[in-house]
Each structure stands twice: as structure tokens, then as C-alpha cells.
Coordinates of all heavy atoms in Angstrom, one line a residue:
P222 N 0.8 -1.2 0.0 CA 0.0 0.0 0.0 C 0.8 1.3 0.0 O 2.1 1.3 0.5 CB -0.8 -0.1 1.3 CG 0.1 -1.0 2.2 CD 0.8 -1.9 1.3
R223 N 0.3 2.3 -0.5 CA 0.9 3.6 -0.7 C 0.0 4.8 -0.6 O -1.1 4.6 -1.2 CB 1.8 3.7 -2.0 CG 2.4 5.1 -2.3 CD 3.5 5.4 -1.3 NE 4.7 4.5 -1.4 CZ 5.5 4.2 -0.4 NH1 5.2 4.6 0.8 NH2 6.5 3.4 -0.6
V224 N 0.3 5.9 0.1 CA -0.5 7.1 0.0 C 0.0 7.8 -1.1 O 1.2 8.2 -1.2 CB -0.3 7.9 1.3 CG1 -1.1 9.2 1.2 CG2 -0.8 7.1 2.6
L225 N -0.9 8.0 -2.2 CA -0.4 8.6 -3.4 C -0.5 10.2 -3.2 O -0.8 10.7 -2.1 CB -1.4 8.2 -4.5 CG -1.6 6.8 -4.8 CD1 -2.6 6.6 -6.0 CD2 -0.3 6.1 -5.1
G226 N -0.1 10.9 -4.3 CA -0.1 12.3 -4.3 C 1.3 12.9 -4.5 O 2.1 12.9 -3.6
I227 N 1.6 13.4 -5.7 CA 2.8 14.0 -6.1 C 3.0 15.4 -5.7 O 4.0 16.1 -6.0 CB 3.1 13.8 -7.6 CG1 2.1 14.6 -8.4 CG2 3.1 12.3 -7.9 CD1 2.5 14.7 -9.9
E228 N 1.9 16.0 -5.1 CA 2.0 17.4 -4.7 C 1.1 17.7 -3.5 O 0.1 17.0 -3.3 CB 1.7 18.3 -5.8 CG 0.2 18.2 -6.3 CD -0.2 19.3 -7.3 OE1 0.2 20.5 -7.1 OE2 -0.9 18.9 -8.2
C229 N 1.3 18.8 -2.8 CA 0.5 19.3 -1.7 C 0.9 20.6 -1.3 O 2.1 21.1 -1.6 CB 0.4 18.3 -0.5 SG 1.9 18.3 0.5
V230 N 0.0 21.3 -0.6 CA 0.3 22.6 0.0 C -0.2 22.4 1.5 O -1.1 21.7 1.8 CB -0.4 23.8 -0.6 CG1 0.2 24.0 -2.0 CG2 -1.9 23.6 -0.6
G231 N 0.5 23.2 2.4 CA 0.2 23.2 3.8 C 1.0 24.0 4.6 O 1.7 24.9 4.2
T232 N 1.1 23.6 5.9 CA 2.0 24.3 6.8 C 2.9 23.3 7.6 O 2.6 22.2 7.7 CB 1.2 25.1 7.9 OG1 0.3 24.2 8.6 CG2 0.3 26.2 7.2
V233 N 4.1 23.9 7.9 CA 5.1 23.0 8.6 C 4.5 22.8 10.0 O 4.2 23.6 10.8 CB 6.4 23.7 8.6 CG1 7.4 23.0 9.5 CG2 7.0 23.9 7.2
A234 N 4.4 21.5 10.3 CA 4.0 21.1 11.7 C 5.2 20.8 12.6 O 5.2 21.0 13.8 CB 3.1 19.9 11.6
A235 N 6.3 20.3 12.0 CA 7.6 20.0 12.7 C 8.6 19.8 11.7 O 8.4 19.3 10.6 CB 7.5 18.8 13.6
S236 N 9.9 20.3 12.0 CA 10.9 20.2 11.1 C 12.3 20.0 11.7 O 12.5 20.5 12.8 CB 11.0 21.4 10.1 OG 12.0 21.3 9.2
T237 N 13.2 19.4 11.0 CA 14.6 19.3 11.4 C 15.5 20.5 10.8 O 16.7 20.5 11.0 CB 15.2 17.9 11.1 OG1 15.1 17.8 9.6 CG2 14.5 16.8 11.8
D238 N 14.8 21.2 10.0 CA 15.5 22.4 9.3 C 15.1 23.7 10.0 O 13.9 24.1 10.0 CB 15.1 22.5 7.9 CG 15.8 23.4 7.0 OD1 16.4 24.4 7.6 OD2 15.8 23.3 5.8
A239 N 16.1 24.3 10.6 CA 15.9 25.5 11.3 C 15.3 26.7 10.4 O 14.7 27.7 11.0 CB 17.2 26.1 12.0
T240 N 15.5 26.6 9.1 CA 14.9 27.6 8.2 C 13.5 27.4 7.9 O 12.8 28.2 7.1 CB 15.8 27.8 6.9 OG1 15.5 26.5 6.2 CG2 17.2 27.9 7.2
L241 N 12.9 26.3 8.4 CA 11.5 26.0 8.2 C 10.7 26.0 9.5 O 10.5 25.0 10.1 CB 11.4 24.6 7.5 CG 12.0 24.5 6.1 CD1 12.0 23.0 5.7 CD2 11.1 25.3 5.1
P242 N 10.3 27.2 10.0 CA 9.6 27.3 11.2 C 8.2 26.7 11.2 O 7.6 26.6 10.1 CB 9.6 28.8 11.5 CG 9.6 29.4 10.1 CD 10.5 28.5 9.3
V243 N 7.7 26.2 12.3 CA 6.4 25.8 12.5 C 5.4 26.9 12.1 O 5.6 28.0 12.4 CB 6.2 25.3 13.9 CG1 4.6 25.0 14.1 CG2 7.0 24.1 14.3
G244 N 4.5 26.5 11.3 CA 3.5 27.4 10.7 C 3.8 28.0 9.3 O 2.9 28.6 8.7
Q245 N 5.0 27.8 8.9 CA 5.4 28.3 7.5 C 4.6 27.6 6.5 O 4.5 26.4 6.4 CB 6.9 28.1 7.3 CG 7.4 28.2 5.9 CD 7.4 29.7 5.5 OE1 8.0 30.6 6.2 NE2 6.7 30.1 4.5
T246 N 4.0 28.4 5.6 CA 3.3 27.9 4.4 C 4.3 27.3 3.4 O 5.3 28.0 3.1 CB 2.5 29.0 3.8 OG1 1.5 29.5 4.7 CG2 1.7 28.4 2.6
V247 N 4.0 26.1 2.9 CA 4.9 25.5 2.0 C 4.1 24.8 0.9 O 3.0 24.5 1.0 CB 5.8 24.5 2.7 CG1 6.9 25.0 3.6 CG2 5.0 23.4 3.4
A248 N 4.8 24.5 -0.2 CA 4.3 23.7 -1.4 C 5.3 22.7 -1.6 O 6.6 22.9 -1.4 CB 4.0 24.6 -2.6
V249 N 4.9 21.6 -2.1 CA 5.8 20.4 -2.3 C 5.3 19.8 -3.6 O 4.1 19.5 -3.8 CB 5.9 19.4 -1.2 CG1 7.0 18.4 -1.4 CG2 6.0 20.1 0.1
V250 N 6.3 19.4 -4.5 CA 6.0 18.6 -5.7 C 7.1 17.7 -6.0 O 8.3 17.9 -5.7 CB 5.9 19.6 -7.0 CG1 4.7 20.5 -6.9 CG2 7.1 20.3 -7.3
M251 N 6.7 16.6 -6.6 CA 7.6 15.6 -7.2 C 8.6 15.0 -6.2 O 8.4 14.8 -5.0 CB 8.3 16.2 -8.4 CG 7.2 16.5 -9.5 SD 6.2 15.2 -10.1 CE 7.5 14.3 -11.0
G252 N 9.8 14.7 -6.7 CA 10.9 14.1 -5.9 C 10.5 12.7 -5.4 O 10.9 12.4 -4.3
E253 N 9.7 12.0 -6.1 CA 9.3 10.6 -5.8 C 8.2 10.6 -4.6 O 7.9 9.6 -4.1 CB 10.4 9.7 -5.3 CG 11.4 9.4 -6.6 CD 10.6 8.7 -7.7 OE1 9.8 7.8 -7.5 OE2 10.8 9.2 -8.9
M254 N 7.7 11.8 -4.4 CA 6.6 12.0 -3.4 C 5.4 11.1 -3.9 O 5.0 11.2 -5.1 CB 6.2 13.4 -3.3 CG 5.0 13.7 -2.4 SD 4.7 15.5 -2.4 CE 3.3 15.6 -1.5
G255 N 4.7 10.3 -3.0 CA 3.6 9.5 -3.5 C 4.0 8.3 -4.3 O 3.1 7.6 -4.8
R256 N 5.3 8.0 -4.3 CA 5.8 6.9 -5.1 C 6.8 6.1 -4.3 O 6.5 5.0 -3.8 CB 6.4 7.4 -6.4 CG 5.4 8.1 -7.3 CD 6.1 8.8 -8.5 NE 6.8 7.8 -9.3 CZ 6.3 7.2 -10.4 NH1 5.0 7.3 -10.6 NH2 7.0 6.3 -11.1

């Protein structure tokens, strides 16, 4: 089983990157996402 979806938009809930604060609006595409 796999959760599909090669893109999404939303907000950062938690991150290991200090430049991505919680609440930051982000978009994500591709990079084997959903695959």
C-alpha cells in the first residue's frame, strides 16, 4: 500500500530544518513523493 499524491500545500508542523519554522506555508511537488 501507498499514500499517493505527487504534490500538496500546507503548513510546517515540525521540522529538522531551522529555516522551516512551524506554521510556515509550503508547497511540495515531485521528488518521488507519493511513489
Side-chain angles (χ1 to χ4, degrees):
R223 172 66 70 210
V224 176
L225 304 182
I227 64 169
E228 66 172 318
C229 71
V230 296
T232 57
V233 175
S236 180
T237 57
D238 186 339
T240 68
L241 294 170
V243 172
Q245 170 68 55
T246 299
V247 293
V249 192
V250 298
M251 299 301 290
E253 294 303 315
M254 177 182 176
R256 296 167 64 84

